[in-house]
Amino acid sequence: MTKNKSLILDENNSKKITKKINNNFLIILNDLNIKSIDKTINLDFAKNSVCKIYCIIANFNDTKQYVFNLNQDLNSCVDIKIKIFGFSRSYSKILINSNIPKNAKNIQLNQEINGYLFSDDATILATPSMNIYNDKIIANHSVNIGSINPEKLFYLMSRAIPKKVAINLLIKSEYQYLKNLNIPNPQKYYKKVDNMISKNV
């Protein structure tokens, strides 16, 4: 089995990113910046390529817009999972646009967007889109947007955990599994993510 190559896009400040993906790939994008972002990411997947994409977006009080254009070729497999955390007066817009041409058969595609609202004046707009021109494909997409689970928050606070700490725990539980990814020192990498979220919640 081919070992996954990893691509971390956190520090890429370009408004537009274009990549050709071959073989097995793992792509990570964590946006924890306290500033507005408007970014388009174009990914072209070669024949027989396999790619997992994990994205965490924390929006504290700005406008963040992301467009993912995913173009798949024959026998390719793409799994994209995006988690968005929206705080006070923030506006987040996510579009995943997958293109499957007529000659690109035996495709697997999964789009998953989960949004979490931590303020009544936060907004998350999420659109999974699939342009499919053949029936030799397995495709799924899902969007779940909602406020913080009040029962979980109440439970933690009833154990004398301060509200801010409880919210931090609930956020971190949503991406805990990512700390086992096949990247250099994932525990240290996601510790930085933990710290940024803790600092700004």
Side-chain angles (χ1 to χ4, degrees):
M1 182 176 178
T2 306
K3 185 178 180 181
N4 284 352
K5 296 180 180 178
S6 59
L7 176 64
I8 297 178
L9 297 177
D10 294 14
E11 303 303 323
N12 191 318
N13 294 318
S14 302
K15 288 191 66 177
K16 189 173 184 180
I17 299 171
T18 300
K19 297 286 182 184
K20 178 76 172 181
I21 305 301
N22 297 288
N23 302 318
N24 288 8
F25 241 92
L26 171 63
I27 297 176
I28 296 173
L29 170 61
N30 292 325
D31 177 0
L32 306 166
N33 294 308
I34 309 177
K35 63 179 181 180
S36 294
I37 299 289
D38 187 354
K39 191 182 290 287
T40 299
I41 300 172
N42 301 311
L43 300 173
D44 296 322
F45 302 95
K47 294 179 182 179
N48 306 311
S49 60
V50 177
C51 186
K52 291 183 179 293
I53 304 165
Y54 297 109
C55 183
I56 295 174
I57 299 170
N59 193 351
F60 299 102
N61 59 4
D62 285 297
T63 297
K64 295 191 176 185
Q65 300 186 78
Y66 278 86
V67 177
F68 293 83
N69 293 315
L70 313 178
N71 303 302
Q72 288 184 246
D73 207 339
L74 184 70
N75 297 324
S76 61
C77 177
V78 174
D79 182 13
I80 178 169
K81 292 181 170 67
I82 299 176
K83 293 186 181 292
I84 314 163
F85 303 101
F87 296 89
S88 179
R89 297 184 302 279
S90 65
Y91 176 88
S92 305
K93 184 177 181 180
I94 307 296
L95 169 63
I96 305 175
N97 184 33
S98 292
N99 299 297
I100 313 296
K102 188 174 181 179
N103 62 340
K105 298 180 180 180
N106 300 319
I107 298 290
Q108 293 185 46
L109 169 63
N110 182 56
Q111 301 176 352
E112 184 179 311
I113 306 173
N114 290 296
Y116 308 87
L117 297 165
F118 292 88
S119 173
D120 291 339
D121 54 5
T123 300
I124 296 175
L125 298 178
T127 305
S129 174
M130 296 179 176
N131 303 309
I132 300 172
Y133 297 97
N134 73 76
D135 59 0
K136 304 297 183 181
I137 177 174
I138 299 173
N140 301 285
H141 65 76
S142 65
V143 174
N144 292 291
I145 308 293
S147 59
I148 186 171
N149 188 309
E151 293 180 0
K152 290 182 179 179
L153 183 60
F154 175 79
Y155 175 82
L156 292 173
M157 293 177 65
S158 71
R159 298 305 188 264
I161 298 175
K163 183 176 182 179
K164 182 176 179 178
V165 176
I167 290 174
N168 268 289
L169 289 172
L170 291 174
I171 292 175
K172 292 169 187 175
S173 70
E174 292 297 328
Y175 61 84
Q176 188 68 27
Y177 68 99
L178 298 178
K179 296 180 181 181
N180 296 317
L181 291 177
N182 185 22
I183 60 174
N185 205 340
Q187 295 289 333
K188 182 177 180 181
Y189 172 75
Y190 277 99
K191 184 67 175 177
K192 293 180 181 179
V193 177
D194 291 345
N195 290 339
M196 276 297 296
I197 288 176
S198 297
K199 180 180 178 182
N200 291 289
V201 168

